[in-house]
Amino acid sequence: EIVLTQSPGTLSLSPGNRATLSCRASQGVSSSYLSWYQHKPGQPPRLLISAASSRATGIPDRFSGSGSGTDFTLTINRLEPEDFAVYYCQHYRNSLVAFGPGTRVDLK
Amino acid sequence: QALLVESGGAVVHPGRSLRLSCAASGFRFDGFGMHWVRQAPGQGLEWVAVISFDASDTYYADSVKGRFTISRDNSKNTLFLQMNSLRPEDSALYYCVKDLGGWYIAGAMDVWGQGTTVSVSS
């Protein structure tokens, strides 16, 4: 079973800052099956990144994903007010899906 | 535009059963795998189950295996989740979710419904 750990738990930043979110897997995983989601209160989650680095349809290019093996990163350049939310990484392997515990990006 | 609308959430006693439905529109439903994902109050996202595009394969989280059954009716563009032997810890907002892949399960989830709430309490 793969366990995903995200850090930090909370990131306090201001609009215009860069956010760097980490996702670490308990064992090496295929980047083809690593995704990132944004979740705001009262809304369903939104797919941001699939296959570790491929932006989903309609996602602004200030969002980027990278990484391989056990370490993956979501970077948000020049935070906009609408970017303050909880971000989850997620992996699929052997017919099982795992979500990380999430990183909250809030307003400093 | 792809749309998923869940229904069937309710307040039920422990040990009882409930069936959730999800009506899909705006995309070729029979061409994609589908998931159920839940979020308990104040908690993160938890994957529940997945079904392949043709219902030939189904997989479950350990927490629901043997109690929940995912199924689909491609003729009616509808996804189901049969939940038996419900426990208080099953209380959550349940999302119906489309998989990004087609004939294969990609694991990435690109269309989400608004969710339906299940509360299990005596």
Side-chain angles (χ1 to χ4, degrees), chain A residues 1 32-33 35 37 39 42-47 50 88 90 92 95-97 99-101, chain B residues 35 37 39 43-47 50 59-60 95 100 105-110 112-114:
Chain A
E1 178 190 352
S32 297
Y33 297 102
S35 303
Y37 300 83
H39 195 192
Q43 298 181 20
R46 178 172 71 150
L47 177 66
S50 63
Y88 295 94
Q90 173 246 320
Y92 172 74
S95 307
L96 296 176
V97 174
F99 283 96
Chain B
H35 303 260
V37 174
Q39 184 177 35
Q43 303 299 310
L45 300 174
E46 180 188 15
W47 173 75
V50 64
Y59 303 102
Y60 299 90
Y95 293 105
L100 183 63
I105 300 294
M109 304 175 189
D110 64 338
W112 294 65
Q114 291 293 320

Side-chain angles (χ1 to χ4, degrees), chain A residues 34-37 47-56 63-65 74:
Chain A
L34 193 289
S35 303
W36 290 91
Y37 300 83
L47 177 66
L48 297 174
I49 301 285
S50 63
S53 61
S54 179
R55 269 190 304 278
F63 291 91
S64 62
L74 175 70

Side-chain angles (χ1 to χ4, degrees), chain B residues 73-94:
Chain B
D73 184 341
N74 284 345
S75 69
K76 296 182 179 178
N77 292 346
T78 305
L79 178 72
F80 302 101
L81 185 67
Q82 178 66 43
M83 304 185 293
N84 297 332
S85 304
L86 281 162
R87 305 168 179 169
E89 56 264 35
D90 294 319
S91 297
L93 180 64
Y94 283 73

Side-chain angles (χ1 to χ4, degrees), chain A residues 32-33 35 37 47 50-51 90 92, chain B residues 27-35 50-54 72 97-111:
Chain A
S32 297
Y33 297 102
S35 303
Y37 300 83
L47 177 66
S50 63
Q90 173 246 320
Y92 172 74
Chain B
F27 67 100
R28 183 178 171 178
F29 181 72
D30 64 359
F32 294 90
M34 297 293 296
H35 303 260
V50 64
I51 187 168
S52 61
F53 72 102
D54 61 355
R72 64 193 298 161
V97 193
K98 172 187 169 290
D99 191 87
L100 183 63
W103 59 269
Y104 67 100
I105 300 294
M109 304 175 189
D110 64 338
V111 181

